[in-house]
Amino acid sequence: MSIERELNKRSGSKCELCGATENLKVYQVLPTKKGGIDESILACSTCIYQIENPDTVDLNHWRCLNDSMWSEHIPVQVVAWRMLSRLRAAGWPQELLDQMYLDEDTLAWAQATGEGEDDENKVIHRDSNGVILEHGDSVVLIKDLKVKGSSMVAKQGTAVRNIRLDHENAEYIEGKVDGQQIVIITQYVKKI
């Protein structure tokens, strides 16, 4: 059974965040270990767009979290916690956060993207020009890089798409070069 079909069955063909029934998509809750239904939710395009674009958040849309934060499904709880943390300055989200309980592993997963941290504590990744890098961005290598532990050399000008950030070190990102997942130092990349 496909992930989408399993999520439709689990959610009753509704967005697991707001309850919408149209434009539903599988949304992988990052960072993932093995993917699948245990690391995904079924969400509407409105929720997904606002999750991925924090500047477009409609505060009233997220009042739905009052219900969805109590979901029995861990990925839904993680996304609810992240959105409530992002919106907590509005007052009511902080009240909901205070009521929410996540076990240690779930809370660590929810915090893995840096959501909920004060801005001065956040790890910010910047490329060689000082441009802020975010998860899923594409970068290009600005010099040839030897890959430790292999004979591979990642050539200058190589595009690395859909990067992942190291949430403990602002100097490291991960991405695939020639089909191999490698760690890249941010001073050698430029955002495309």
Side-chain angles (χ1 to χ4, degrees):
M1 189 181 283
S2 76
I3 292 175
E4 188 170 4
R5 207 168 321 144
E6 287 181 62
L7 287 173
N8 269 303
K9 185 177 175 185
R10 177 175 93 183
S11 68
S13 297
K14 293 180 182 174
C15 174
E16 292 184 274
L17 298 171
C18 73
T21 56
E22 295 183 12
N23 300 318
L24 302 176
K25 299 176 188 167
V26 175
Y27 178 75
Q28 247 189 348
V29 183
L30 300 172
T32 59
K33 292 182 180 165
K34 54 188 173 200
I37 191 168
D38 294 332
E39 295 180 346
S40 302
I41 64 171
L42 191 67
C44 68
S45 56
T46 302
C47 286
I48 292 173
Y49 184 77
Q50 290 186 34
I51 289 168
E52 294 177 343
N53 300 287
D55 299 338
T56 65
V57 172
D58 171 11
L59 190 62
N60 285 326
H61 176 80
W62 293 103
R63 291 196 180 268
C64 61
L65 295 177
N66 193 29
D67 295 324
S68 56
M69 69 184 243
W70 302 110
S71 172
E72 64 187 87
H73 305 292
I74 291 175
V76 178
Q77 295 172 13
V78 167
V79 174
W81 186 92
R82 288 177 182 172
M83 290 309 297
L84 288 170
S85 294
R86 183 182 295 175
L87 304 171
R88 70 177 179 253
W92 63 264
Q94 183 61 56
E95 292 173 19
L96 293 179
L97 267 176
D98 292 342
Q99 297 173 34
M100 198 171 185
Y101 171 78
L102 300 179
D103 65 46
E104 208 173 287
D105 292 339
T106 305
L107 183 59
W109 183 18
Q111 293 173 331
T113 59
E115 202 71 62
E117 290 182 15
D118 294 332
D119 286 341
E120 66 263 9
N121 295 336
K122 270 191 184 175
V123 175
I124 298 175
H125 296 74
R126 296 183 185 273
D127 73 0
S128 58
N129 295 327
V131 176
I132 294 176
L133 298 172
E134 295 187 24
H135 182 85
D137 282 346
S138 295
V139 297
V140 66
L141 301 178
I142 61 170
K143 74 176 255 181
D144 289 354
L145 301 174
K146 284 184 157 188
V147 179
K148 288 185 179 177
S150 78
S151 59
M152 182 178 140
V153 175
K155 297 287 185 189
Q156 177 180 349
T158 301
V160 182
R161 304 201 187 290
N162 197 19
I163 63 168
R164 293 185 180 221
L165 307 178
D166 181 326
H167 295 289
E168 294 175 8
N169 190 328
E171 304 244 329
Y172 296 151
I173 59 172
E174 291 182 30
K176 282 193 177 182
V177 175
D178 296 333
Q180 184 175 349
Q181 188 80 9
I182 63 170
V183 174
I184 306 166
I185 298 174
T186 56
Q187 68 185 14
Y188 302 123
V189 299
K190 183 173 73 172
K191 186 174 177 177
I192 313 178

